[in-house]
Amino acid sequence: MNDNHPADHGPTRALTVADVLALPVLAAGQPRVVTGMTDLDRPVRWVHITELTDPASFLKGGELVLTTGMPLPEDAAGVRRYVDELAGIGAAALVIELVRRYHRPPDALVDACRRRGLPLVTLAKDVNFLEVTQVVHTLLLGNQADAMRRAQRIHEAFTALTLRGAGPEDVVRAAAEMCGRTVVLENLVHQALICEPSGLTVEEALAEWEQRSRATGPGDNAAIRGPEGWLTASVEYQGERWGRVAMLPARTDGPAFGPEDITLLERTAMALTVARLIHPTPWERTAHRNALLDLVEQRHRSAEDARARCAALGLPTDRSHFVAALVELRAEKRGAETESRLLQELRTAGVPALVGELAPDRLGILLALRTSQPWRPIVERLSGTVLGLAPEAVVSVGSEVTDLTDTARSFRAAARVAEATPPGQPLPPDRSFHELSDIGLRRLLYALREDARIQEYTERQLRRLIDHDTQHGTDLLTTLRHYLDAAGNKTTAARRGGLSRETMYQRLRTIERLLARDLESGDQRTELHVALTALDVLRAD
């Protein structure tokens, strides 16, 4: 290991004044920071030894200037001019040796450095300046080579993503993994569409996102902006600024952004621009879909993360109640059009909501409502829009919940309603959507029709009667249906079947014998009624 390598110097951070002062070759001179203690994080681009009275003419900025003090002017005005030139060119720091000409720094030099904010460092012992330059330049050149290799890896990684047609989630995830920081993609209205947390929780990254984002000024090129020091770059679509990608700083003890982070974010923005062309589906829809799926499948790490992510998409999470609805488009292939119309209706009505495709031909809707705001008129309006576009569609509504994290329960209820709604199921006369209260026995059995236990129960109850009708050409099953529908009233059943009472009595006795049942028993009639209803559902399906 090279002992001259600064401790704490990572591969992604530029060499700083503090790093150089910590090198053994310079630490041997017992360096003391006289001015600019808070500016020791300045990057060092090069080391320059000078004994000239005008060293700035040979500098380009970022140099650590080493001098024995011999060329310093005698007068205070000359010292101020000397320091002004160094500060004006952007020197990183001035290091003066207190061995030959001076044994304490001149007051005029200290005052001038303090006035211009130039770090001044003194050395109490003799130091080999050539060895300092050799060590520092070796580190700088090594860092430059490492930076070039890392930049090449970044280039190759994003080129591969672009060539395979990666979507925005893949691009943002790759960026977060490569930089080890949280990366967020937002649109022009400051909605966080994709968040890949790294080093932060989703709640920490997205809390009060819109407010914080609006405080971070716009800009096209990758640069550090805003009070929190975000590194941001714009994302374009068809030549226009569409949104931006932000790299969030780590917690206060983390490293600052470096050139490699800027390169990474620039390539991220370019890859997202290409992805926007390849994937034409509006990314807001994708973000809504992913947020809904996370809620439905309860994939959030915590309730706070769920609230932060939804709030960053513009859904108020402090509303008093939430209602989930599902739109089953069935045979219709108008998902994108229906989704757009629903979003338009919701914006017109001023109702915050998430709308997204949860499965092929199934749209999910989550409404966020105020205390006094009823959900039924809103759902009725949305249902009318859906049925106007797709008459065969079915709109199902779940239970009302009072907390965002309970919306999975509301979606499960809506799914149960949808599963219990056969094609062509007539709507209630007073509304255009279905809800839990609509699920009676027939629709419950329809939802369970694929359950082997329901099929086995139906077969066990009615098989002998069905076999008899098949073998003898009778229609005892219909007679049983009339009898059960008449609640056991034989006269009514005979009239409905167009039979005499004597024939009805005879058929009922045959049914009792075949099924080994007592039709006078209310319980047994109920069992047969359930089986007959299940048979109708199974045959219709």
Side-chain angles (χ1 to χ4, degrees), residues 445 448-464 466 517 527-528 530-532 534-535 538:
L445 291 172
L448 301 174
R449 65 193 182 280
E450 295 182 1
D451 192 316
R453 291 170 295 183
I454 295 295
Q455 297 173 11
E456 188 276 333
Y457 175 83
T458 303
E459 183 70 7
R460 175 163 46 85
Q461 293 286 339
L462 300 175
R463 179 178 57 82
R464 292 180 180 177
I466 296 172
R517 289 287 183 168
E527 291 173 0
L528 289 172
V530 170
L532 193 58
L535 180 66
L538 291 168

Side-chain angles (χ1 to χ4, degrees), residues 65-121:
V65 179
L66 304 177
T67 181
T68 62
M70 299 299 291
L72 282 178
E74 295 287 348
D75 59 305
V79 170
R80 285 195 299 271
R81 183 175 62 254
Y82 182 91
V83 171
D84 285 343
E85 290 180 359
L86 290 178
I89 202 66
L94 174 63
V95 179
I96 181 171
E97 187 181 73
L98 301 180
V99 176
R100 294 170 176 81
R101 180 178 177 183
Y102 297 105
H103 296 285
R104 59 182 298 273
D107 293 339
L109 180 64
V110 174
D111 291 341
C113 288
R114 182 175 291 116
R115 178 175 58 84
R116 292 303 305 267
L118 179 68
L120 173 64
V121 182

Side-chain angles (χ1 to χ4, degrees), residues 110 123 153 167 172 199 206 210 232 260 389 491 508:
V110 174
L123 298 176
R153 287 196 293 269
V172 174
L206 297 182
E210 182 178 348
T232 68
E260 182 182 344
L389 293 171
T491 302
L508 292 178

Side-chain angles (χ1 to χ4, degrees), residues 236-355:
E236 295 185 351
Y237 178 58
Q238 296 180 341
E240 299 289 339
R241 191 160 62 91
W242 171 86
R244 68 177 172 180
V245 59
M247 186 184 294
L248 306 190
R251 293 184 173 88
T252 54
D253 57 348
F257 292 119
E260 182 182 344
D261 296 310
I262 294 176
T263 300
L264 176 62
L265 198 68
E266 288 174 340
R267 287 310 310 269
T268 302
M270 290 173 58
L272 287 169
T273 296
V274 175
R276 188 71 180 85
L277 295 170
I278 296 174
H279 302 275
T281 301
W283 289 354
E284 288 84 356
R285 293 184 189 173
T286 305
H288 279 213
R289 179 198 65 196
N290 292 339
L292 287 173
L293 286 172
D294 287 344
L295 289 171
V296 171
E297 299 174 10
Q298 297 180 299
R299 298 189 301 205
H300 291 286
R301 294 180 58 184
S302 66
E304 291 75 18
D305 281 2
R307 294 188 184 98
R309 188 178 289 274
C310 291
L313 283 173
L315 185 79
T317 58
D318 56 351
R319 293 298 172 97
S320 65
H321 57 294
F322 301 84
V323 175
L326 294 176
V327 178
E328 301 285 336
L329 294 171
R330 302 289 164 96
E332 300 288 342
K333 300 294 182 182
R334 310 187 68 166
E337 182 181 2
T338 303
E339 186 176 346
S340 298
R341 287 291 300 275
L342 288 175
L343 287 169
Q344 182 180 349
E345 286 288 341
L346 288 164
R347 282 194 293 267
T348 302
V351 179
L354 296 179
V355 180

Side-chain angles (χ1 to χ4, degrees), residues 366-508:
L366 179 61
L367 304 175
L369 305 168
R370 296 184 299 274
T371 303
S372 59
Q373 192 173 16
W375 61 265
R376 289 182 178 276
I378 298 170
V379 175
E380 187 68 40
R381 179 174 178 174
L382 296 178
S383 299
T385 299
V386 169
L387 295 177
L389 293 171
E392 299 300 321
V394 173
V395 179
S396 305
V397 182
S399 53
E400 189 176 1
V401 296
T402 57
D403 192 279
L404 180 71
T405 57
D406 290 332
T407 52
R409 176 160 54 87
S410 185
F411 274 110
R412 284 196 297 270
R416 286 199 294 271
V417 176
E419 292 165 359
T421 304
Q425 176 71 35
L427 286 161
D430 57 339
R431 51 187 159 86
S432 59
F433 58 88
H434 301 269
E435 56 182 325
L436 281 170
S437 60
D438 298 330
I439 301 179
L441 175 62
R442 182 176 296 273
R443 292 179 63 171
L444 176 62
L445 291 172
Y446 175 80
L448 301 174
R449 65 193 182 280
E450 295 182 1
D451 192 316
R453 291 170 295 183
I454 295 295
Q455 297 173 11
E456 188 276 333
Y457 175 83
T458 303
E459 183 70 7
R460 175 163 46 85
Q461 293 286 339
L462 300 175
R463 179 178 57 82
R464 292 180 180 177
L465 195 61
I466 296 172
D467 289 346
H468 184 276
D469 280 347
T470 302
Q471 294 169 7
H472 298 87
T474 55
D475 195 12
L476 296 178
L477 197 65
T478 300
T479 300
L480 177 62
R481 186 190 311 280
H482 290 317
Y483 177 71
L484 295 176
D485 288 345
N489 188 308
K490 298 174 185 177
T491 302
T492 302
R495 185 173 63 251
R496 289 180 178 177
L499 303 174
S500 65
R501 292 187 58 182
E502 183 178 347
T503 302
M504 173 60 70
Y505 292 159
Q506 180 183 357
R507 290 192 178 186
L508 292 178

Side-chain angles (χ1 to χ4, degrees), residues 162-193:
T162 300
L163 289 176
R164 68 179 176 86
E169 295 89 353
D170 297 326
V171 174
V172 174
R173 186 181 305 112
E177 290 174 352
M178 280 189 272
C179 69
R181 303 175 190 268
T182 296
V183 179
V184 181
L185 173 68
E186 68 169 10
N187 60 13
L188 288 178
V189 293
H190 304 278
Q191 293 178 343
L193 305 183

